[in-house]
Amino acid sequence: MILEIIFIVLLIGVWLSVREMPVILGPAVSSGVIRSVYIPVVLLLSILPALFLTDGIVLNIRTSFPIQDPFTILIITLSASVAMWAFSLFTKWSSFLYALAGSVLAYSVHSDSVDIASTYMWQSVVSWLAAPILCGALTVALFYGVKFLTDNSGVHLITLNRILRVLYVLSLALVIFSFSINNGSMIVAFTGPVSNLIRINVSGFVLGGEVLVWILFVILCLALYFKPVKERAASLSMKLFDINTETSVVIMFAVSFVLLLFSSDTLCSFIGLAATPVSPVHLSLSAIIGIGWIHKNVGMDKMEVTKSSISIIALPAFSFLITHMMLRIITINDSARSFDVTTFAIASVLFLLLAVIIYFYISRNRSSEKEKLKRAEDRNQFNELQ
């Protein structure tokens, strides 16, 4: 049981760390205001207290998807991870949230509990569509607001630069904090049935299962930061976030506000929705497009934006398919688990075909990239000769 909860935390935590976190850290790395060596300290201080504000989303997920068997939860998260891995080969701007949503929907269909989950699912879909639009609009509004204040404040440039640096650190801490509340709540929600049974006494102070799960999540985030997260954030900062401190602050504040908004049941209830996780990847993408629209130069590959938009529908659908097959292959009941050999054979053939398709897709992309690079080198040589 404990081993299953560890695997669940690892699967969700790894994808949140390597897929979502580099995107929200991109503006921070780009501006260079804070040295990268201090970012882990900000991560630690921002993620730890977020646990105590995850109740809204956690309650909604557990109520809508009352999954009690830890092995079933492990199958769901594993299926979502496979779907996420496959899609990451097509686009880097996809979110693990959508893969997990497709998997839990497959469980609801498999267990005939769609009626319980239906209301929360449509509310979540509306939130996923509305959140990026709101983030883009808010980014534009904040940008013009900050620009107006800086142009008309009369504050000395040195003082203004110091204020922006303070706001930068605050916005970095806030975006990590809000991300931990909104997306980190999925870890607490899906480990609930097991973590509630765990208690550890440390010098008379009892640590509950949720606290232990959260500590494991924090350790995982810090460990992954020093290699894949840091490298991808640096790569994104060079490609997409080549921006000044003011714009970094604007993007991080906009993303933070939207994440916090959709983490609050009280605020969401005013518009007929419920607190739900939203994709920081697509929020950041929307914010970048908003900044690009202001400068009349959207620095995003249109094909990448298209693939990212398609992933909002295609990724949960693919995850749904994988999870449905897995739940058909491994039948779980209170007394035993059975294995369907026929379904397993069909699924194996389908996955083999998928692997072949992915292989040829990657090979074609690599050849295309090499051709583009060669043409660019030829143009440079031609220009030098002239």
Side-chain angles (χ1 to χ4, degrees):
M1 186 176 290
I2 294 178
L3 190 60
E4 288 166 339
I5 192 173
I6 291 174
F7 275 119
I8 292 168
V9 174
L10 287 176
L11 287 171
I12 300 177
V14 165
W15 280 114
L16 290 181
S17 298
V18 302
R19 179 61 60 193
E20 325 283 337
M21 193 171 290
V23 178
I24 65 172
L25 292 179
V29 176
S30 174
S31 63
V33 172
I34 184 171
R35 292 175 61 185
S36 59
V37 69
Y38 296 123
I39 292 181
V41 179
V42 180
L43 281 171
L44 178 64
L45 297 178
S46 302
I47 297 176
L48 273 177
L51 169 65
F52 304 104
L53 295 174
T54 59
D55 292 346
I57 294 178
V58 169
L59 181 61
N60 289 339
I61 293 176
R62 289 181 181 175
T63 303
S64 303
F65 307 102
I67 312 171
Q68 297 302 320
D69 180 49
F71 188 72
T72 302
I73 300 174
L74 182 58
I75 290 176
I76 288 171
T77 53
L78 182 60
S79 301
S81 297
V82 172
M84 186 68 195
W85 170 81
F87 257 77
S88 67
L89 300 174
F90 292 93
T91 174
K92 302 301 181 184
W93 290 86
S94 53
S95 178
F96 184 66
L97 162 65
Y98 302 132
L100 203 54
S103 290
V104 294
L105 181 59
Y107 167 80
S108 298
V109 172
H110 181 79
S111 60
D112 294 323
S113 58
V114 177
D115 292 341
I116 301 174
S118 59
T119 301
Y120 186 59
M121 282 304 298
W122 76 256
Q123 289 175 327
S124 298
V125 171
V126 172
S127 298
W128 298 338
L129 295 174
I133 297 173
L134 176 61
C135 189
L138 183 61
T139 301
V140 173
L142 283 175
F143 181 87
Y144 281 119
V146 170
K147 190 174 187 303
F148 176 82
L149 290 175
T150 54
D151 291 345
N152 299 278
S153 62
V155 179
H156 193 277
L157 188 60
I158 296 177
T159 305
L160 184 62
N161 186 52
R162 289 173 180 171
I163 294 173
L164 285 173
R165 285 174 174 269
V166 173
L167 288 174
Y168 168 87
V169 176
L170 291 175
S171 62
L172 173 60
L174 183 62
V175 76
I176 297 171
F177 178 69
S178 56
F179 162 75
S180 303
I181 294 173
N182 189 272
N183 280 221
S185 59
M186 293 188 290
I187 289 181
V188 180
F190 287 106
T191 55
V194 185
S195 62
N196 289 336
L197 303 176
I198 302 173
R199 294 287 185 276
I200 294 182
N201 193 315
V202 181
S203 302
F205 185 76
V206 179
L207 295 178
E210 289 186 349
V211 175
L212 296 171
V213 164
W214 198 256
I215 291 174
L216 179 58
F217 173 54
V218 173
I219 294 172
L220 189 62
C221 289
L222 291 174
L224 291 174
Y225 170 78
F226 289 100
K227 187 66 177 176
V229 176
K230 184 178 179 180
E231 288 181 358
R232 184 159 186 259
S235 176
L236 286 173
S237 70
M238 289 186 289
K239 293 179 180 178
L240 300 171
F241 297 102
D242 188 13
I243 50 181
N244 56 27
T245 305
E246 299 158 63
T247 309
S248 297
V249 169
V250 165
I251 290 176
M252 289 191 287
F253 264 120
V255 172
S256 301
F257 177 84
V258 176
L259 286 171
L260 290 174
L261 172 64
F262 286 97
S263 300
S264 170
D265 252 335
T266 304
L267 296 176
C268 287
S269 63
F270 286 120
I271 52 177
L273 300 176
T276 186
V278 292
S279 167
V281 171
H282 290 88
L283 295 184
S284 299
L285 182 62
S286 180
I288 294 168
I289 293 173
I291 295 296
W293 178 80
I294 292 171
H295 295 296
K296 310 299 181 186
N297 179 27
V298 180
M300 283 291 298
D301 184 349
K302 292 182 180 179
M303 180 56 70
E304 196 63 43
V305 174
T306 302
K307 289 192 292 185
S308 179
S309 301
I310 292 173
S311 73
I312 298 177
I313 299 173
L315 178 55
F318 184 52
S319 183
F320 177 96
L321 178 62
I322 294 176
T323 308
H324 186 68
M325 286 184 176
M326 290 293 292
L327 292 174
R328 287 287 301 274
I329 293 170
I330 305 173
T331 304
I332 303 169
N333 54 48
D334 295 333
S335 57
R337 296 166 186 162
S338 60
F339 189 81
D340 188 335
V341 178
T342 304
T343 308
F344 175 74
I346 295 171
S348 298
V349 173
L350 290 175
F351 280 121
L352 181 60
L353 289 173
L354 176 64
V356 172
I357 292 170
I358 290 174
Y359 171 78
F360 281 110
Y361 176 84
I362 294 174
S363 299
R364 181 182 175 185
N365 272 9
R366 284 178 178 172
S367 299
S368 177
E369 289 296 326
K370 287 180 180 178
E371 288 177 4
K372 288 180 182 178
L373 184 60
K374 188 175 185 305
R375 284 198 298 267
E377 290 176 350
D378 290 342
R379 282 196 301 269
N380 290 337
Q381 290 177 358
F382 179 75
N383 292 334
E384 287 176 1
L385 291 173
Q386 286 186 328

